[in-house]
């Protein structure tokens, strides 16, 4: 997978292309995104949760079958694992509705084969085109 800088470069439109501004979330949208990591000797369980703390439902729009992604970096900031690597996603647009007071949760498992013990940082991203959110957490690999 390309570095974040390369991804930003690749995402830029060609010269002469009309660029539509990204829709801004309504002021009454209140999404709280958290990422929890539970590390054991067998691996790390990563739980990405989006909670709708607002008074009305929120619709998340996804431009493909990929709804989220999770990456893990070592203490030097080098990415050592990404959930979406080597996965294929459908090209179909999808929507998910989160009712007021409800949550949307994604759980992924990382089984580090040759990673040394130590401190790591995980970053989870909800890939919604209209309410893109992310959260990060640190954990120690025993």
């Amino acid at each position: 997978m390309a570095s974040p800088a390369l991804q930003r470069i690749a995402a830029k439109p060609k010269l002469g292309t009309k660029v539509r501004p990204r829709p801004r979330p309504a002021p009454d949208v209140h999404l709280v995104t958290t990422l929890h990591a539970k590390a054991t000797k067998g691996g790390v369980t990563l739980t990405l949760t989006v909670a709708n703390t607002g008074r009305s439902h929120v619709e998340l729009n996804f431009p493909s079958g990929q709804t989220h992604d999770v990456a893990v970096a070592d203490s030097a900031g080098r990415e050592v694992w990404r959930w979406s690597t080597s996965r294929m996603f459908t090209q179909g647009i999808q929507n998910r509705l989160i009712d007021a007071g409800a949550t949307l949760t994604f759980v992924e498992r990382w089984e580090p084969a040759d990673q040394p013990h130590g401190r790591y940082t995980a970053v989870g991203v909800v890939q919604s085109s209209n309410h893109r959110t992310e959260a990060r957490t640190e954990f120690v690999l025993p």
Side-chain angles (χ1 to χ4, degrees), residues 118-131:
R119 184 168 297 280
Y120 291 83
T121 301
V123 179
V125 178
V126 177
Q127 302 279 18
S128 170
S129 59
N130 61 335
H131 299 291

Side-chain angles (χ1 to χ4, degrees), residues 22-68:
R22 219 174 190 186
R24 293 186 180 200
D28 59 338
V29 172
H30 300 282
L31 297 176
V32 177
T33 306
T34 57
L35 178 64
H36 296 283
K38 182 178 180 183
T40 62
K41 289 189 179 192
V44 181
T45 301
L46 298 151
T47 305
L48 179 63
T49 304
V50 181
N52 179 1
T53 61
R55 295 184 194 184
S56 60
H57 70 271
V58 174
E59 183 176 19
L60 300 179
N61 302 322
F62 298 99
S64 73
Q66 183 177 9
T67 55
H68 65 287

